[in-house]
Amino acid sequence: MLPSIRRRIFVRGIVQGVGFRPYVYTLAVSSRVAGFVRNEPGGVRIEVEGRKEDVERFTARLPAELPPLAALDGMEVSEVEPCGDHAFTIVASAPAADRTTAIPADTAVCEACRREMNDPADRRHRYPFINCTDCGPRFTLILDLPYDRPATTMRDFPLCPACAAEYADPTTRRFHAEPIACPVCGPRLAFHPSGDPAATVFKEDALAAARQALAAGRVVAVKGVGGFHLACDALDPEAVALLRRRKGRGDKPFAVMMRDLETVRAYARLSQEEERLLTGRERPIVLLRHREGAGEQLAAAVAPGQASIGVLLPYAPLHDLLLGETPLVMTSGNRSDEPIARENGEALERLSGLADAFLLHDRGIHAVCDDSVARVALGRELPLRRSRGWAPYPVPLPFETPPLLAVGGEIKAVFAAATGTQAFLSQHIGDLGNLETLTAFERAVEHLLRLLRIEPLAVACDLHPDYQSARWARAWAKERGLPVVAVQHHHAHIAAVLAENGAAGTGPVLGVAFDGTGYGTDGTIWGGEILLVEEGSFQRIGRLTAVPLPGGDAGVRRPARMALAHLRAAGLPWDTDLPPVAATREADLRVLAIQLEKGIAAPLTTSCGRLFDAVAALIGLRPEVTYEGQAAMELEALAEETSEEPYRFDLREETELVLDPAPVFRSLVADLRAGVRKGRMAARFHDGLAAVVVEACQRLSAAHGSRTVALSGGVFQNVRFLTVLVEGLTAAGFEVLTHRRVPPNDGGLALGQVAVARWPGREGW
Ligand SMILES: [Zn+2]
Ligand SMILES: [Zn+2]
């Protein structure tokens, strides 16, 4: 007999809760090696023993044939003394003290499960909760780690003998698959007409009743993976209008679920990258350009004024069973500004005025997780909301950090728990404007910190004194005696894009931070900034002209007023032929004139988002909006592909280099009077802004020596602007860094706060 060798292997990455141990077991048996595999804090330990060539083959195949959801960050291999093992076993998990193993994210139903669900001979035929090691809910049902069934909301469903046999059989796809279930032992569906609990029906009857209600134009609350959706027939304009009214949502777009790619193609134009994003296991809502005809009609109802519609494919098996040929609106189950509903009782209570009926089930949701949203920009994915499917996977950091909590911003709240070289980003929590959302935020923070066993040594927050997140951070830190690091909003944006590109600490970088609003170090409202960012510090070296924002934050809803402020700043008269003047009552114009002149209730802002609003209002798009960014999004939708003649901005040296749009407004007024197409004016504006940013970066680069430009802030959700700016900067010889892992909007702030706060030299540490 040939002498044996033994190897000890330790792997890190996404290796728990993704079928990794069964994979190792099967690989070991087929490679004819003995030993064991065990989940440990921080990863998985494997020891294999056998003939040298078998052990070597096992070691080579291990990283090469991973199960679909697993990903390796690192693999350490060492030779140890053989101990005479003759079999391979899965050893019970070691008790965990310090765990920063990635928590698996929720994953769309896999093709194998979908086939079984559609197979009349399968025992899970038409079972809405089918799943396996390769797919299904994870993060949303995990109560604690290590990830085992008793530590999930599936602990309420003891396995039947058939499921137990699959769970114990290493040759099946359900070996150690924690959330598995079947019609005999698992959760079941219930359909509950609003206000009539006695009429509740179950299982197939529930599904049929839900489909019927949707076909009849009703709004149905559907319990899914990470919370509730409100669903209605997307092709029924009355149903969509009813839902819009009940939700108090204004014109904000609704996402639409379609049953397959073929259906999507009937309504939208799809690139290869968009197709990949739509069908990926994260299944985000993807913003797609709608197609002429059917696509236009659908868009008019679900996304008025937009060039794109948000589309997603079914990700829970329940969705497959629910969807027919007709696309369904699937919007988060909440009133505007409230968190998404989680439990059945809570949903019945909070959604009773919104939904006509409820499609419920009894699988518990522990962590609420909204759908993710993404679009394709520069040929790759650009996340706009990083939530279900991605959360809480860590973003690898290009530096080491002590344990930190970063609470993010105020709207689109996402927090980060970071330690070592990883920042675990939470799901999307929403806007922290009310107590319910703040409570949901607090619950999510404590859950994630506990799961990861991270005990922060400091808390990072925004510099804004009135952000709920910052107040919460200060109170939370005080209770624990921890230092608070307040990070300027736009500094955090740029630090985020640097961190995710692995570019932190590589010398000074020009950061272009364009967004709606953020609190500046001088107490004014920033939002059109060029910063010189180096490690934990920054210097403001460029900005847009500061103009008064009439009515402060309330002014955000009235782009016409922003247009009037810009006209006044450019020295242009308020002639009555101009749309924003025509849209404002004379008495209001008089008050506004005094307000602007004396600076009463009109704080100065350099906001780039408000500049987009002003231009949109000036060319007559809309004097008022129902959600922030609406006018700017419509301006992007309208812009023709090329302009050839970009509008000219002035560029002048003050304390900072100032990008002044006054000449742009003069040209706009002239174009308006000459009857130039709105789409052309929109294009000339987009291209003009890009051109002046390139010119500003060239001047600033000459003065400060950096050849790298980082782009962040909500304005960079605008793909038309992003694309032309990146082209311009690249042509000018700059290295350009943009987002691809976290959103450019405030959903990415927490990552940037981690990057800034981890500098131990900073104040407060
Ligand atoms: Zn599956
Ligand atoms: Zn079962």
Side-chain angles (χ1 to χ4, degrees):
M1 190 164 157
L2 288 162
S4 286
I5 65 160
R6 188 175 180 94
R7 274 185 188 166
R8 178 175 292 168
I9 302 171
F10 192 77
V11 291
R12 293 171 209 282
I14 301 163
V15 289
Q16 292 192 16
V18 290
F20 192 76
R21 287 175 304 166
Y23 157 70
V24 172
Y25 177 91
T26 313
L27 188 63
V29 171
S30 75
S31 309
R32 283 172 304 197
V33 294
F36 68 86
V37 56
R38 181 172 71 200
N39 280 350
E40 286 193 359
V44 170
R45 173 178 304 284
I46 304 159
E47 293 199 7
V48 283
E49 178 168 343
R51 294 190 313 169
K52 187 164 185 283
E53 60 183 86
D54 291 337
V55 170
E56 275 172 356
R57 184 154 20 90
F58 173 88
T59 319
R61 286 175 66 189
L62 181 70
E65 300 170 22
L66 293 177
L69 303 187
L72 294 194
D73 265 355
M75 176 165 150
E76 293 150 30
V77 182
S78 54
E79 308 286 328
V80 292
E81 277 299 303
C83 47
D85 278 352
H86 288 293
F88 195 89
T89 52
I90 294 179
V91 179
S93 306
D98 153 54
R99 326 173 176 120
T100 45
T101 312
I103 301 158
D106 303 287
T107 300
V109 58
C110 72
E111 279 314 307
C113 283
R114 188 172 268 143
R115 270 197 304 276
E116 289 170 350
M117 184 173 71
N118 292 324
D119 176 2
D122 194 275
R123 70 189 189 87
R124 292 187 181 87
H125 180 228
R126 293 184 61 79
Y127 183 57
F129 306 98
I130 188 169
N131 67 80
C132 72
T133 17
D134 298 338
C135 74
R138 296 287 189 277
F139 171 58
T140 51
L141 52 66
I142 292 176
L143 305 170
D144 201 359
L145 294 180
Y147 172 57
D148 285 321
R149 191 171 177 102
T152 71
T153 59
M154 289 301 292
R155 64 184 171 181
D156 305 333
F157 300 93
L159 292 174
C160 70
C163 284
E166 286 174 292
Y167 185 88
D169 179 355
T171 66
T172 76
R173 228 168 63 249
R174 298 196 168 86
F175 181 50
H176 280 260
E178 308 302 342
I180 62 165
C182 78
V184 174
C185 66
R188 65 173 183 169
L189 279 184
F191 179 83
H192 186 119
S194 196
D196 188 8
T200 302
V201 289
F202 298 95
K203 301 185 180 178
E204 281 294 337
D205 294 342
L207 203 54
R211 291 184 65 143
Q212 220 165 35
L214 289 165
R218 306 263 192 283
V219 175
V220 179
V222 179
K223 186 176 182 182
V225 173
F228 279 77
H229 282 117
L230 289 167
C232 75
D233 180 344
L235 300 184
D236 180 341
E238 282 174 38
V240 177
L242 177 71
L243 177 55
R244 203 176 276 292
R245 222 167 32 242
R246 287 185 185 167
K247 231 189 140 176
R249 195 176 164 90
D251 297 327
K252 214 166 177 182
F254 284 136
V256 179
M257 188 179 276
M258 301 190 187
R259 72 168 175 185
D260 51 26
L261 274 179
E262 203 188 323
T263 311
V264 179
R265 287 197 196 96
Y267 295 97
R269 287 181 285 167
L270 267 181
S271 70
Q272 226 173 16
E273 185 59 20
E274 285 163 342
E275 194 172 310
R276 193 200 60 74
L277 198 52
L278 266 178
T279 54
R281 58 186 167 82
E282 297 90 0
R283 292 290 151 91
I285 296 165
V286 182
L287 301 192
L288 301 172
R289 290 152 302 156
H290 56 68
R291 211 179 255 294
E292 302 69 31
E296 278 169 350
Q297 282 163 29
L298 179 66
V302 301
Q306 302 300 323
S308 53
I309 40 176
V311 176
L312 78 168
L313 291 175
Y315 56 87
L318 171 61
H319 298 148
D320 276 302
L321 297 171
L322 190 64
L323 263 275
E325 275 172 38
T326 311
L328 293 180
V329 165
M330 289 290 249
T331 188
S332 5
N334 54 354
R335 283 177 206 280
S336 287
D337 307 330
E338 277 185 10
I340 187 168
R342 182 170 73 97
E343 283 159 358
N344 290 346
E346 183 190 353
L348 287 170
E349 192 187 306
R350 286 197 5 225
L351 303 181
S352 60
L354 278 70
D356 300 306
F358 293 80
L359 184 60
L360 305 170
H361 59 72
D362 49 0
R363 185 175 69 199
I365 296 171
H366 188 69
V368 170
C369 200
D370 236 325
D371 292 326
S372 292
V373 184
R375 68 189 294 188
V376 170
L378 309 168
R380 62 182 194 218
E381 82 192 45
L382 174 69
L384 302 181
R385 184 202 287 167
R386 186 187 182 275
S387 198
R388 178 191 44 77
W390 278 290
Y393 283 151
V395 174
L397 300 172
F399 48 75
E400 287 252 359
T401 177
L404 282 179
L405 171 66
V407 298
E410 181 79 344
I411 54 167
K412 301 181 167 72
V414 166
F415 64 87
T419 188
T421 55
Q422 292 180 310
F424 296 85
L425 293 182
S426 77
Q427 70 273 43
H428 166 88
I429 317 265
D431 298 351
L432 300 181
N434 61 56
L435 189 65
E436 287 86 357
T437 319
L438 201 60
T439 308
F441 176 83
E442 183 165 54
R443 186 176 183 276
V445 169
E446 295 192 336
H447 179 54
L448 192 62
L449 289 178
R450 197 170 54 83
L451 281 186
L452 295 165
R453 302 295 194 271
I454 290 181
E455 290 186 20
L457 295 180
V459 185
C461 66
D462 195 273
L463 190 64
H464 201 304
D466 297 330
Y467 272 11
Q468 292 300 330
S469 59
R471 285 191 181 152
W472 182 89
R474 285 193 292 269
W476 197 83
K478 195 174 170 191
E479 262 173 48
R480 289 160 182 77
L482 300 177
V484 174
V485 185
V487 182
Q488 199 279 326
H489 194 92
H490 303 96
H491 185 198
H493 271 310
I494 300 302
V497 71
L498 294 182
E500 69 161 272
N501 279 282
T506 51
V509 166
L510 300 174
V512 179
F514 281 2
D515 69 354
T517 50
Y519 192 80
T521 50
D522 58 1
T524 68
I525 303 170
W526 291 9
E529 314 307 311
I530 305 181
L531 310 177
L532 186 70
V533 174
E534 188 168 19
E535 306 192 328
S537 66
F538 78 97
Q539 189 191 340
R540 189 192 203 194
I541 53 174
R543 60 172 173 86
L544 286 173
T545 302
V547 297
L549 173 59
D553 283 345
V556 169
R557 301 258 167 189
R558 298 205 177 99
R561 295 185 172 213
M562 210 56 229
L564 294 169
H566 269 287
L567 286 171
R568 171 82 24 134
L572 291 162
W574 289 354
D575 293 330
T576 49
D577 65 324
L578 301 175
V581 182
T584 311
R585 287 184 311 190
E586 226 181 286
D588 290 341
L589 284 174
R590 275 197 300 273
V591 174
L592 198 63
I594 298 167
Q595 230 184 333
L596 292 176
E597 196 178 318
K598 306 213 164 143
I600 304 162
L604 286 178
T605 184
T606 50
S607 168
C608 187
R610 296 296 86 77
L611 174 62
F612 272 85
D613 285 353
V615 171
L618 181 59
I619 68 174
L621 273 191
R622 51 174 67 240
E624 294 193 6
V625 295
T626 51
Y627 59 95
E628 198 200 346
Q630 183 180 6
M633 284 167 71
E634 292 183 7
L635 195 66
E636 177 191 358
L638 198 67
E640 291 170 5
E641 269 177 42
T642 52
S643 71
E644 270 119 49
E645 275 179 293
Y647 290 137
R648 289 285 309 168
F649 282 68
D650 270 345
L651 208 48
R652 63 169 183 274
E653 306 278 351
E654 290 179 18
T655 317
E656 299 95 15
L657 184 62
V658 177
L659 290 63
D660 186 353
V664 174
F665 282 90
R666 284 196 286 276
S667 307
L668 277 164
V669 168
D671 273 1
L672 259 176
R673 290 182 173 144
V676 172
R677 292 185 307 275
K678 286 179 184 174
R680 174 161 166 75
M681 290 189 275
R684 294 188 71 187
F685 170 68
H686 276 79
D687 296 347
L689 183 59
V692 74
V693 172
V694 173
E695 201 184 329
C697 286
Q698 282 172 316
R699 281 213 216 169
L700 293 168
S701 160
H704 299 279
S706 177
R707 297 301 297 164
T708 304
V709 179
L711 308 178
S712 187
V715 168
F716 292 105
Q717 298 174 103
N718 180 330
V719 172
R720 172 74 173 71
F721 176 60
L722 175 67
T723 307
V724 60
L725 179 55
V726 169
E727 279 167 8
L729 287 168
T730 309
F734 286 104
E735 186 198 357
V736 187
L737 304 178
T738 60
H739 285 287
R740 56 193 144 169
R741 284 172 178 266
V742 303
N745 59 44
D746 287 4
L749 276 183
L751 178 64
Q753 291 172 349
V754 167
V756 175
R758 57 108 191 181
W759 291 96
R762 281 190 58 90
E763 209 180 334
W765 267 91

